[in-house]
Coordinates of all heavy atoms in Angstrom, one line a residue:
Chain A
T2 N 10.5 24.9 -7.6 CA 11.6 23.9 -7.7 C 11.6 23.4 -9.2 O 10.6 23.2 -9.8 CB 11.2 22.7 -6.8 OG1 10.9 23.1 -5.5 CG2 12.3 21.6 -6.8
E18 N 5.6 24.5 -8.2 CA 5.5 24.6 -6.8 C 5.6 23.2 -6.2 O 5.0 22.3 -6.8 CB 4.1 25.2 -6.4 CG 4.0 26.7 -6.4 CD 2.7 27.1 -5.8 OE1 2.6 27.2 -4.5 OE2 1.7 27.2 -6.5
P19 N 6.2 23.0 -5.1 CA 6.3 21.6 -4.6 C 5.0 20.9 -4.3 O 4.8 19.7 -4.4 CB 7.0 21.8 -3.2 CG 7.8 23.0 -3.4 CD 7.0 23.9 -4.3
R20 N 3.9 21.7 -4.1 CA 2.6 21.1 -3.8 C 1.9 20.6 -5.1 O 0.8 20.1 -5.0 CB 1.7 22.1 -3.1 CG 1.4 23.4 -3.9 CD 0.4 24.1 -3.2 NE 0.3 25.5 -3.6 CZ -0.7 26.3 -3.3 NH1 -1.7 25.8 -2.6 NH2 -0.7 27.6 -3.7
L22 N 0.5 18.5 -7.9 CA 0.4 17.1 -8.1 C 0.8 16.7 -9.5 O 0.8 17.5 -10.5 CB -1.1 16.7 -8.0 CG -1.8 17.2 -6.6 CD1 -3.3 16.9 -6.6 CD2 -1.1 16.5 -5.5
Q25 N -1.7 17.2 -12.2 CA -1.9 18.6 -12.6 C -0.8 19.0 -13.5 O -1.0 19.7 -14.5 CB -1.7 19.4 -11.3 CG -2.8 20.1 -10.6 CD -2.2 20.9 -9.5 OE1 -1.5 20.4 -8.6 NE2 -2.5 22.2 -9.5
C40 N -11.7 11.5 -9.1 CA -12.1 11.6 -7.7 C -11.2 12.5 -6.9 O -11.7 13.2 -6.0 CB -12.1 10.2 -7.1 SG -10.5 9.5 -6.9
D41 N -10.0 12.5 -7.2 CA -9.0 13.3 -6.5 C -8.7 12.8 -5.1 O -8.1 13.4 -4.3 CB -9.5 14.8 -6.4 CG -8.3 15.7 -6.6 OD1 -7.2 15.3 -6.8 OD2 -8.6 16.9 -6.5
T42 N -9.3 11.6 -4.7 CA -9.1 11.1 -3.4 C -8.5 9.7 -3.4 O -8.6 8.9 -2.5 CB -10.5 10.9 -2.7 OG1 -11.4 10.2 -3.5 CG2 -11.1 12.3 -2.4
T43 N -7.8 9.4 -4.5 CA -7.0 8.2 -4.6 C -7.8 6.9 -4.8 O -7.3 5.8 -4.6 CB -6.0 8.0 -3.5 OG1 -5.6 9.3 -3.0 CG2 -4.7 7.3 -3.9
N44 N -9.1 7.1 -5.1 CA -10.0 5.9 -5.2 C -10.3 5.4 -6.6 O -10.4 4.2 -6.8 CB -11.3 6.2 -4.5 CG -11.1 6.4 -3.0 OD1 -11.1 7.5 -2.5 ND2 -10.9 5.3 -2.3
G46 N -8.8 5.8 -9.8 CA -7.8 5.2 -10.8 C -7.8 5.9 -12.1 O -7.0 5.5 -13.0
T49 N -4.4 7.1 -13.5 CA -3.3 6.1 -13.5 C -2.3 6.3 -14.6 O -2.7 6.4 -15.8 CB -3.8 4.7 -13.5 OG1 -4.7 4.4 -12.4 CG2 -2.7 3.6 -13.5
L52 N 5.0 5.1 -13.6 CA 6.1 5.9 -13.2 C 7.3 4.9 -13.1 O 7.2 3.9 -12.3 CB 5.8 6.5 -11.8 CG 6.9 7.3 -11.1 CD1 7.3 8.5 -12.0 CD2 6.4 7.8 -9.7
V55 N 5.9 1.2 -13.3 CA 4.9 0.7 -12.5 C 3.7 1.7 -12.4 O 3.9 2.9 -12.4 CB 5.3 0.3 -11.1 CG1 6.5 -0.7 -11.1 CG2 5.7 1.5 -10.3
S56 N 2.5 1.1 -12.3 CA 1.3 2.0 -12.2 C 1.2 2.7 -10.9 O 1.4 2.2 -9.9 CB 0.1 1.1 -12.5 OG 0.0 0.1 -11.5
V57 N 0.8 4.0 -11.0 CA 0.6 4.8 -9.8 C -0.6 5.7 -10.1 O -1.0 6.0 -11.3 CB 1.8 5.7 -9.5 CG1 3.1 4.8 -9.3 CG2 2.1 6.7 -10.6
K58 N -1.2 6.3 -9.0 CA -2.3 7.2 -9.2 C -1.7 8.6 -9.2 O -1.2 9.1 -8.1 CB -3.3 7.0 -8.1 CG -4.0 5.7 -8.2 CD -5.1 5.4 -7.2 CE -5.9 4.1 -7.6 NZ -6.9 3.7 -6.6
C60 N -2.7 11.5 -9.1 CA -3.3 12.5 -8.2 C -2.7 12.4 -6.8 O -3.0 13.2 -6.0 CB -4.8 12.4 -8.1 SG -5.4 11.0 -7.2
T61 N -1.9 11.3 -6.6 CA -1.4 11.1 -5.3 C 0.1 10.9 -5.4 O 0.8 10.1 -4.6 CB -2.1 9.9 -4.6 OG1 -3.5 10.1 -4.8 CG2 -1.8 9.8 -3.1
V62 N 0.7 11.6 -6.3 CA 2.2 11.7 -6.4 C 2.4 13.2 -6.7 O 1.7 13.8 -7.4 CB 2.7 10.9 -7.6 CG1 4.2 11.1 -7.8 CG2 2.3 9.4 -7.5
L63 N 3.5 13.7 -6.1 CA 3.8 15.1 -6.3 C 4.7 15.2 -7.6 O 5.5 14.3 -7.8 CB 4.6 15.7 -5.2 CG 3.9 15.8 -3.8 CD1 4.8 16.2 -2.7 CD2 2.7 16.8 -3.9
V65 N 7.3 16.9 -7.9 CA 8.7 16.9 -7.4 C 9.2 15.4 -7.2 O 10.3 15.1 -7.3 CB 8.9 17.8 -6.2 CG1 8.9 19.2 -6.6 CG2 8.0 17.4 -5.1
Q66 N 8.2 14.6 -6.8 CA 8.6 13.2 -6.6 C 9.0 12.4 -7.9 O 9.6 11.4 -7.9 CB 7.5 12.4 -5.9 CG 7.2 12.8 -4.4 CD 6.1 12.0 -3.9 OE1 4.9 12.2 -4.2 NE2 6.4 11.1 -3.0
D68 N 10.6 13.9 -10.3 CA 11.8 14.6 -10.8 C 12.9 13.5 -11.2 O 13.2 12.7 -10.3 CB 12.4 15.6 -9.8 CG 13.6 16.3 -10.4 OD1 13.7 16.5 -11.6 OD2 14.4 16.7 -9.5
Q109 N -3.7 0.7 -16.2 CA -3.6 -0.4 -15.1 C -3.7 -1.8 -15.8 O -3.0 -2.7 -15.3 CB -4.7 -0.2 -14.1 CG -4.7 -1.2 -13.0 CD -3.4 -1.3 -12.3 OE1 -2.5 -0.4 -12.3 NE2 -3.1 -2.5 -11.7
A112 N -0.3 -2.5 -16.9 CA 0.6 -2.9 -15.7 C 0.3 -4.3 -15.2 O 1.2 -5.1 -14.9 CB 0.3 -1.9 -14.6
E116 N 2.8 -7.7 -15.2 CA 3.2 -8.5 -14.0 C 2.6 -9.9 -14.1 O 3.2 -10.8 -13.5 CB 2.6 -7.8 -12.7 CG 3.5 -6.7 -12.2 CD 2.8 -5.8 -11.1 OE1 2.0 -6.4 -10.4 OE2 3.1 -4.6 -11.1
N127 N -9.3 -8.5 -9.6 CA -8.5 -8.0 -8.5 C -7.4 -6.9 -8.9 O -7.2 -6.0 -8.3 CB -7.8 -9.1 -7.8 CG -8.7 -9.8 -6.8 OD1 -9.4 -9.1 -6.0 ND2 -8.7 -11.1 -6.8
G128 N -6.8 -7.2 -10.1 CA -5.8 -6.3 -10.6 C -6.4 -4.9 -11.0 O -5.6 -3.9 -11.0
L129 N -7.7 -4.9 -11.2 CA -8.3 -3.6 -11.6 C -9.1 -3.0 -10.4 O -10.0 -2.1 -10.6 CB -9.2 -3.8 -12.8 CG -8.5 -4.2 -14.1 CD1 -9.6 -4.4 -15.2 CD2 -7.5 -3.1 -14.5
E130 N -8.9 -3.5 -9.2 CA -9.7 -3.1 -8.0 C -9.6 -1.6 -7.7 O -10.4 -1.0 -7.1 CB -9.4 -4.0 -6.8 CG -8.1 -3.7 -6.2 CD -7.9 -4.6 -4.9 OE1 -8.8 -4.7 -4.1 OE2 -6.8 -5.2 -4.7
G131 N -8.5 -1.0 -8.1 CA -8.3 0.4 -7.9 C -8.8 1.3 -9.0 O -8.5 2.5 -9.0
N132 N -9.5 0.7 -9.9 CA -10.1 1.5 -11.0 C -11.6 1.4 -11.0 O -12.1 0.3 -11.2 CB -9.5 1.1 -12.3 CG -8.0 1.4 -12.4 OD1 -7.2 0.7 -11.7 ND2 -7.6 2.3 -13.2
Chain B
M1 N -8.4 19.0 -5.5 CA -7.9 19.3 -4.2 C -6.3 19.5 -4.3 O -5.7 18.5 -4.7 CB -8.2 18.3 -3.2 CG -9.7 18.2 -3.0 SD -10.1 17.0 -1.7 CE -9.4 15.5 -2.4
I2 N -5.9 20.6 -3.8 CA -4.4 20.8 -3.8 C -4.0 21.2 -2.4 O -4.6 21.9 -1.7 CB -4.2 22.0 -4.8 CG1 -4.6 21.5 -6.2 CG2 -2.7 22.4 -4.8 CD1 -4.8 22.6 -7.2
P3 N -2.8 20.6 -2.0 CA -2.4 20.9 -0.7 C -2.0 22.4 -0.5 O -1.8 23.1 -1.5 CB -1.1 20.1 -0.6 CG -1.1 19.0 -1.7 CD -2.0 19.6 -2.7
A4 N -2.0 22.9 0.7 CA -1.5 24.2 1.0 C 0.0 24.2 0.6 O 0.7 23.1 0.6 CB -1.7 24.5 2.5
A5 N 0.5 25.4 0.3 CA 1.9 25.5 -0.1 C 2.9 25.0 1.0 O 2.6 25.2 2.2 CB 2.2 26.9 -0.5
F6 N 4.0 24.3 0.6 CA 5.0 23.9 1.5 C 6.3 24.0 0.8 O 6.4 24.0 -0.4 CB 4.7 22.5 2.1 CG 4.5 21.5 1.0 CD1 5.5 20.9 0.3 CD2 3.1 21.0 0.8 CE1 5.2 19.9 -0.7 CE2 2.9 20.0 -0.2 CZ 3.9 19.5 -0.9
D7 N 7.4 24.0 1.6 CA 8.7 23.8 1.0 C 9.0 22.3 1.0 O 8.5 21.6 1.7 CB 9.8 24.5 1.9 CG 9.7 26.0 1.8 OD1 9.2 26.5 0.7 OD2 10.0 26.7 2.8
Y8 N 10.0 22.0 0.1 CA 10.2 20.6 -0.2 C 11.7 20.3 -0.2 O 12.5 21.1 -0.8 CB 9.7 20.2 -1.5 CG 10.0 18.8 -2.0 CD1 9.3 17.7 -1.7 CD2 11.1 18.6 -2.9 CE1 9.6 16.4 -2.1 CE2 11.4 17.4 -3.4 CZ 10.7 16.3 -3.0 OH 11.0 15.0 -3.5
L32 N 8.0 12.5 4.3 CA 7.2 11.9 3.1 C 7.9 10.6 2.7 O 9.1 10.6 2.4 CB 7.2 12.9 1.9 CG 6.6 12.4 0.6 CD1 5.1 12.1 0.8 CD2 6.8 13.4 -0.5
A33 N 7.1 9.6 2.7 CA 7.6 8.3 2.2 C 6.9 8.0 0.9 O 7.2 8.6 -0.1 CB 7.3 7.2 3.3
G34 N 5.9 7.1 0.9 CA 5.2 6.8 -0.4 C 4.1 7.8 -0.7 O 3.6 7.9 -1.8
G35 N 3.7 8.6 0.3 CA 2.7 9.6 0.1 C 1.3 9.1 0.1 O 0.4 9.9 -0.1
Q36 N 1.1 7.8 0.2 CA -0.3 7.3 0.0 C -1.2 7.6 1.2 O -2.5 7.4 1.0 CB -0.3 5.8 -0.4 CG 0.6 5.6 -1.6 CD 0.1 6.3 -2.8 OE1 -1.0 6.1 -3.3 NE2 0.9 7.3 -3.3
L39 N -0.3 12.4 1.3 CA -0.8 13.3 0.3 C -2.3 13.5 0.4 O -2.8 14.6 0.3 CB -0.3 12.9 -1.1 CG 1.2 13.0 -1.3 CD1 1.6 12.6 -2.7 CD2 1.7 14.4 -1.0
P40 N -3.1 12.4 0.6 CA -4.5 12.6 0.9 C -4.8 13.5 2.1 O -5.7 14.4 2.0 CB -5.1 11.2 1.1 CG -4.1 10.3 0.3 CD -2.8 10.9 0.5
K43 N -4.0 17.0 0.9 CA -5.0 17.5 -0.1 C -6.3 17.9 0.6 O -6.9 18.9 0.2 CB -5.2 16.4 -1.1 CG -4.1 16.3 -2.1 CD -4.2 15.0 -2.9 CE -5.3 15.0 -4.0 NZ -5.2 13.8 -4.8
M44 N -6.6 17.2 1.6 CA -7.8 17.5 2.4 C -7.5 18.6 3.4 O -8.4 19.1 4.1 CB -8.4 16.3 3.1 CG -9.0 15.4 2.0 SD -9.9 14.0 2.8 CE -8.6 13.0 3.3
R45 N -6.3 19.1 3.4 CA -5.8 20.2 4.3 C -6.1 19.8 5.8 O -6.4 20.7 6.6 CB -6.5 21.5 3.9 CG -6.2 21.8 2.4 CD -5.7 23.2 2.2 NE -5.4 23.4 0.8 CZ -5.1 24.5 0.2 NH1 -5.2 25.6 0.9 NH2 -4.8 24.6 -1.0
V52 N 8.2 19.7 3.8 CA 8.0 18.3 3.6 C 9.4 17.7 3.3 O 10.1 18.2 2.4 CB 7.0 18.0 2.5 CG1 7.1 16.5 2.0 CG2 5.6 18.3 2.9
D54 N 11.3 14.5 2.0 CA 11.1 13.3 1.2 C 12.3 12.4 1.5 O 13.4 12.7 1.3 CB 11.0 13.7 -0.3 CG 10.6 12.5 -1.2 OD1 10.5 11.4 -0.7 OD2 10.4 12.8 -2.4
K57 N 15.2 9.8 -1.7 CA 16.6 9.9 -2.3 C 17.6 9.3 -1.4 O 18.8 9.3 -1.7 CB 16.9 11.3 -2.7 CG 16.0 11.9 -3.8 CD 16.7 12.6 -4.9 CE 15.9 12.7 -6.2 NZ 15.0 13.9 -6.2
H80 N 4.1 -3.5 -2.5 CA 4.3 -4.4 -3.7 C 5.5 -5.2 -3.6 O 5.5 -6.4 -3.8 CB 4.4 -3.5 -5.0 CG 4.6 -4.3 -6.2 ND1 3.6 -5.0 -6.9 CD2 5.7 -4.6 -6.9 CE1 4.1 -5.7 -7.9 NE2 5.4 -5.4 -8.0
K100 N -0.5 -8.2 0.6 CA -1.3 -8.4 -0.7 C -2.7 -7.7 -0.6 O -3.4 -7.5 -1.6 CB -1.5 -9.9 -0.9 CG -0.3 -10.6 -1.5 CD -0.7 -12.0 -1.9 CE 0.4 -12.9 -1.9 NZ -0.1 -14.3 -1.9
V102 N -3.5 -4.9 1.0 CA -3.6 -3.5 1.2 C -4.1 -2.8 0.0 O -3.5 -3.0 -1.1 CB -2.1 -2.9 1.6 CG1 -2.1 -1.4 1.6 CG2 -1.7 -3.5 2.9
A103 N -5.1 -1.9 0.1 CA -5.5 -1.0 -0.9 C -5.6 -1.7 -2.3 O -6.3 -2.7 -2.4 CB -4.6 0.2 -1.0
D104 N -5.0 -1.1 -3.3 CA -5.0 -1.6 -4.7 C -3.6 -1.6 -5.3 O -2.7 -1.1 -4.6 CB -6.0 -0.7 -5.5 CG -5.6 0.7 -5.4 OD1 -4.4 1.0 -5.7 OD2 -6.5 1.6 -5.1
P105 N -3.4 -2.2 -6.5 CA -2.1 -2.3 -7.0 C -1.3 -0.9 -7.1 O -0.2 -0.9 -6.8 CB -2.3 -2.9 -8.4 CG -3.6 -3.6 -8.3 CD -4.4 -2.8 -7.3
Q106 N -2.0 0.1 -7.5 CA -1.3 1.4 -7.7 C -0.8 1.9 -6.3 O 0.3 2.4 -6.2 CB -2.3 2.4 -8.3 CG -2.7 2.1 -9.8 CD -4.0 1.5 -9.9 OE1 -4.3 0.5 -9.1 NE2 -4.8 1.9 -10.8
V107 N -1.7 1.8 -5.3 CA -1.3 2.3 -4.0 C -0.2 1.4 -3.4 O 0.8 1.9 -2.8 CB -2.5 2.3 -3.0 CG1 -2.1 2.5 -1.6 CG2 -3.5 3.3 -3.4
R108 N -0.2 0.1 -3.7 CA 0.8 -0.8 -3.3 C 2.2 -0.5 -4.0 O 3.2 -0.8 -3.4 CB 0.4 -2.3 -3.5 CG -0.7 -2.8 -2.6 CD -0.8 -4.3 -2.5 NE -1.2 -4.9 -3.8 CZ -2.5 -5.1 -4.1 NH1 -3.5 -4.7 -3.4 NH2 -2.7 -5.6 -5.3
H109 N 2.1 0.0 -5.2 CA 3.4 0.4 -5.9 C 4.1 1.6 -5.2 O 5.3 1.8 -5.4 CB 3.1 0.7 -7.3 CG 2.8 -0.5 -8.2 ND1 1.9 -0.5 -9.2 CD2 3.4 -1.7 -8.2 CE1 2.0 -1.7 -9.8 NE2 2.8 -2.4 -9.2
R110 N 3.3 2.4 -4.5 CA 3.9 3.6 -3.9 C 4.1 3.5 -2.3 O 5.0 4.0 -1.8 CB 3.1 4.8 -4.2 CG 3.0 5.3 -5.6 CD 4.3 5.8 -6.1 NE 4.7 7.1 -5.5 CZ 6.0 7.6 -5.8 NH1 6.8 6.9 -6.6 NH2 6.4 8.7 -5.2
V190 N -14.4 -4.3 -2.2 CA -13.0 -4.4 -2.4 C -12.4 -3.0 -2.2 O -13.1 -2.0 -2.2 CB -12.6 -4.9 -3.8 CG1 -13.0 -6.4 -3.9 CG2 -13.2 -4.0 -4.9
Q191 N -11.1 -3.0 -2.1 CA -10.4 -1.7 -1.9 C -10.9 -0.9 -0.8 O -11.1 0.3 -0.9 CB -10.4 -0.9 -3.2 CG -9.4 0.2 -3.3 CD -9.9 1.5 -3.9 OE1 -11.0 1.9 -3.6 NE2 -9.2 2.1 -4.8

Side-chain angles (χ1 to χ4, degrees):
Chain A
T2 306
E18 274 192 90
R20 62 171 163 166
L22 305 173
Q25 251 185 306
C40 67
D41 221 3
T42 54
T43 329
N44 293 102
T49 301
L52 181 60
V55 302
S56 57
V57 302
K58 293 180 171 178
C60 72
T61 313
V62 176
L63 297 170
V65 287
Q66 290 179 289
D68 181 30
Q109 181 52 25
E116 279 168 31
N127 277 315
L129 297 177
E130 69 179 316
N132 293 72
Chain B
M1 294 185 298
I2 294 160
F6 52 77
D7 291 330
Y8 171 86
L32 174 65
Q36 301 304 291
L39 294 182
K43 285 164 73 178
M44 289 187 284
R45 306 228 175 169
V52 168
D54 187 352
K57 297 227 161 85
H80 176 80
K100 284 188 203 162
V102 172
D104 57 50
Q106 293 97 315
V107 171
R108 291 197 292 273
H109 282 144
R110 294 292 296 169
V190 293
Q191 197 220 44

